[in-house]
Amino acid sequence: MSIRTRFTVTVVAIVAVTAALFASLSIVMLDRTLRSNFIDRLHSGAQAIATTVDVHHGRISLDPSDLRTLNSLQADTPFAVYDARGRQIAGDTPPMAAQSALTQRVAVPVTRDNHAFGTVAVWQSSEWIDDFDRTAAMVSMGIGLFLVVLGAIASRRVARRVLAPVEHIASLAERIEGHELSGRLHADGNDELGRLCASFDRMLERLEAAFSRERRFVADASHELRAPLAVLRAETELALRRERTGDKYRAALASIAREGARLEELVNEMLATARAEVDAREQQTLDANELLSNLGDRVRATAATRGIEIRVENGGVMLAQANRATLERALLAIAHNAIRYGRDDGTVRMRSLRDDGLVRIEIADDGPGFTSDALAHATERFWRGDTARQRDGTGLGLAIARAFVEANRGTLQIANSTAGGAVVTIELVSS
C-alpha cells in the first residue's frame, strides 16, 4: 500500500470515527435534554393544577368553573385529579397499559399546610422524542457519509500535492546511477519537504563532486602509474633482449630500482590520502608552536642542502584540537613543498597565531610563489604545473596536506605573499 493510500485511509478513518462519535454524543445529549425539558414541562403543568384546585374540609373540591380553568391551562396535556384514597375525581381517562410505554407520566401531590389531600397526574406521549432521535440519526449518518466522501477526496488531493516532492525524490533516485548525478529537485518551499528536497539536492551535489573527484583520481593515478611501469617494462625487456656487460646490467637495475621507488612513493601517498579521514578520528589537544618547533628540527637538514634557513616564530602556547600523526604529516608535506620551491639560500618561515576561536598555522617561502593555475588547482591530486614537472614531483604533496587538514575539521588555504613567495595557511579549531 502506497503512502498516499495509507494517508487517505487514515484520514477517512479519522473523519468517520470523529463524525460517528460527534453524532452519537450529540444525539444522546439532545435526547437527554429533550426528555429533561419534557419532564420539567409536565411537572410544571401538574404543579399548576395542584395549586389551582380547592381544598374544603379536608377534601379536594372542584366545581365546573375550576374544571374549565384547568382545561384551559392544560389544553394540550391530559391530566387527572385523585383524592387521598386514589380515586379519580376529575380529568381525563389515563392511558391504557399498551400505551404507557410510549407515554411519560408525572404526578405531584396536592398539599396544603404540609398535608397531602390528593394527587394530580399529567401525561403525554414521548414518541415524538424517539422520532426526533431516529431522524437525527439518519441526518447524522448522511452528513457523516458526506464528510467521509469529502475527506477521502480532499485527503487524496492533499496527499498528491504534499507527497509530490517525495515522489519526485523517489523517481529521481531511481534514475540516478554512478555516472549520472546531474538531476536536481529545485524545490523552493520553506516547509519540511522543501528542506528535505534542498538537503537531497545538496547531497547529490556532494555525491556528484565525490564521483567526479574519484574519476579524476582513477584517471590521474592510472596516468601516473603508467609511466614508471612502462619504464620498468622497457628496462627489463632491453636487459633481457641480449647479453650485456655488468655495468649495463647495473645501470638497468638502478633504473628499475628508481622507478620501483617512485611506484612505492605513489602508492604510499595514494593510500595516505585514502586513509586521511580514518586516521584523523582520534583527536587530541595539541600545541601548534610545539608542532612547528619539531617540524623545523625535522626539515632543517633537508633545507640546508639548498642553503635555506628554517625560521620558527614562537608566539606562546596555541592549543588546537587535531590528530597529531595526520597533522604532522600535513605540515611535513607543506614544509617539503616550501623547501622544494623556495629560493636557494632563502628562508622558510613558520608561525602560529590565534584568530577568532581558530588557530592559524602559516608556512611561507620566498620563492616565485604560486601561478594563477596553481592557486586554482595546486591542492588537487596529481596536479602539477610546469615548474613542478621540472622538479619531478608526484603532485600529491598539497593534496595530502589538504586531505589530512580537512579530516581534522580544518581548512587549508594557499596564497602569495605581498612580499613575494608562497604562503600556505592551516586553520584548526581552537581547544
Side-chain angles (χ1 to χ4, degrees):
M1 186 182 295
S2 65
I3 295 178
R4 182 186 300 174
T5 303
R6 291 202 299 268
F7 178 78
T8 302
V9 171
T10 302
V11 171
V12 169
I14 292 174
V15 171
V17 171
T18 303
L21 289 175
F22 179 77
S24 299
L25 292 175
S26 299
I27 291 173
V28 169
M29 293 302 295
L30 286 173
D31 180 80
R32 290 184 177 180
T33 301
L34 290 176
R35 292 186 185 278
S36 177
N37 292 337
F38 181 57
I39 293 174
D40 289 343
R41 185 164 60 85
L42 292 177
H43 190 275
S44 297
Q47 192 67 42
I49 296 174
T51 304
T52 302
V53 299
D54 294 328
V55 177
H56 295 290
H57 306 293
R59 299 177 59 184
I60 295 176
S61 174
L62 291 173
D63 54 29
S65 63
D66 292 333
L67 291 176
R68 286 193 297 271
T69 301
L70 292 175
N71 288 327
S72 63
L73 289 175
Q74 303 293 328
D76 58 345
T77 304
F79 69 95
V81 180
Y82 300 90
D83 60 14
R85 297 180 180 180
R87 294 178 301 178
Q88 183 177 357
I89 58 177
D92 303 301
T93 302
M96 303 297 292
Q99 298 176 333
S100 61
L102 301 176
T103 301
Q104 184 68 47
R105 182 176 183 275
V106 174
V108 296
V110 178
T111 60
R112 299 289 187 275
D113 298 327
N114 296 324
H115 293 284
F117 298 97
T119 305
V120 174
V122 296
W123 61 88
Q124 198 172 41
S125 174
S126 61
E127 188 176 1
W128 66 275
I129 298 180
D130 297 331
D131 292 339
F132 174 83
D133 292 342
R134 286 191 292 270
T135 303
M138 295 297 293
V139 172
S140 298
M141 185 179 298
I143 294 175
L145 291 175
F146 173 76
L147 290 177
V148 167
V149 173
L150 183 63
I153 296 174
S155 62
R156 195 73 177 177
R157 292 184 177 180
V158 170
R160 185 183 297 112
R161 181 174 180 180
V162 171
L163 297 177
V166 178
E167 293 182 355
H168 195 182
I169 292 175
S171 61
L172 181 61
E174 291 173 356
R175 295 198 308 268
I176 288 175
E177 296 181 5
H179 60 274
E180 179 54 50
L181 294 167
S182 59
R184 297 291 185 272
L185 296 173
H186 301 296
D188 55 358
N190 294 322
D191 55 5
E192 290 83 356
L193 286 176
R195 293 196 298 272
L196 173 63
C197 293
S199 299
F200 193 80
D201 283 346
R202 289 193 297 271
M203 181 191 69
L204 288 179
E205 290 176 0
R206 291 193 297 270
L207 285 176
E208 186 176 19
F211 273 99
S212 178
R213 287 195 302 269
E214 292 306 315
R215 284 193 292 267
R216 288 200 309 271
F217 174 76
V218 172
D220 293 340
S222 300
H223 175 76
E224 293 292 333
L225 293 173
R226 188 182 296 116
L229 287 173
V231 173
L232 284 173
R233 182 175 181 180
E235 291 288 350
T236 304
E237 289 179 351
L238 288 174
L240 295 176
R241 185 172 297 174
R242 57 184 175 82
E243 291 293 331
R244 295 174 178 270
T245 64
D247 291 339
K248 290 184 178 180
Y249 276 124
R250 281 191 294 272
L253 290 174
S255 177
I256 291 173
R258 285 193 302 272
E259 296 304 323
R262 178 175 172 79
L263 279 174
E264 184 179 8
E265 181 184 5
L266 283 171
V267 171
N268 288 336
E269 291 185 347
M270 286 189 292
L271 288 175
T273 57
R275 287 186 53 84
E277 185 174 351
V278 176
D279 293 339
R281 287 179 181 173
E282 296 183 1
Q283 297 189 348
Q284 307 90 27
T285 300
L286 307 174
D287 183 3
N289 283 306
E290 178 193 354
L291 291 176
L292 290 181
S293 297
N294 294 336
L295 176 65
D297 295 338
R298 293 176 64 180
V299 300
R300 275 195 176 88
T302 303
T305 60
R306 297 189 57 212
I308 295 176
E309 177 189 0
I310 301 297
R311 185 178 299 169
V312 179
E313 300 177 5
N314 197 325
V317 177
M318 296 286 178
L319 299 181
Q321 197 72 19
N323 177 269
R324 176 179 288 275
T326 55
L327 185 57
E328 285 180 344
R329 185 157 188 174
L331 292 172
L332 188 61
I334 297 170
H336 281 162
N337 200 69
I339 294 171
R340 175 177 295 177
Y341 301 112
R343 179 171 56 83
D344 289 340
D345 301 323
T347 302
V348 172
R349 297 177 304 278
M350 304 177 184
R351 67 168 183 166
S352 63
L353 61 152
R354 193 183 303 277
D355 182 16
D356 193 21
L358 299 174
V359 172
R360 299 179 60 188
I361 300 175
E362 293 182 356
I363 299 178
D365 61 59
D366 52 6
F370 293 107
T371 63
S372 58
D373 286 342
L375 289 173
H377 305 289
T379 58
E380 296 178 5
R381 287 176 291 193
F382 297 114
W383 185 90
R384 289 181 293 172
D386 293 337
T387 304
R389 294 183 187 278
Q390 294 171 4
R391 297 288 177 91
D392 196 28
T394 62
L396 285 171
L398 289 179
I400 290 176
R402 189 188 70 172
F404 281 129
V405 171
E406 291 179 351
N408 282 288
R409 298 180 300 163
T411 59
L412 184 145
Q413 302 171 359
I414 59 175
N416 289 323
S417 173
T418 55
V423 180
V424 179
T425 303
I426 294 175
E427 291 185 346
L428 298 171
V429 178
S430 178
S431 178

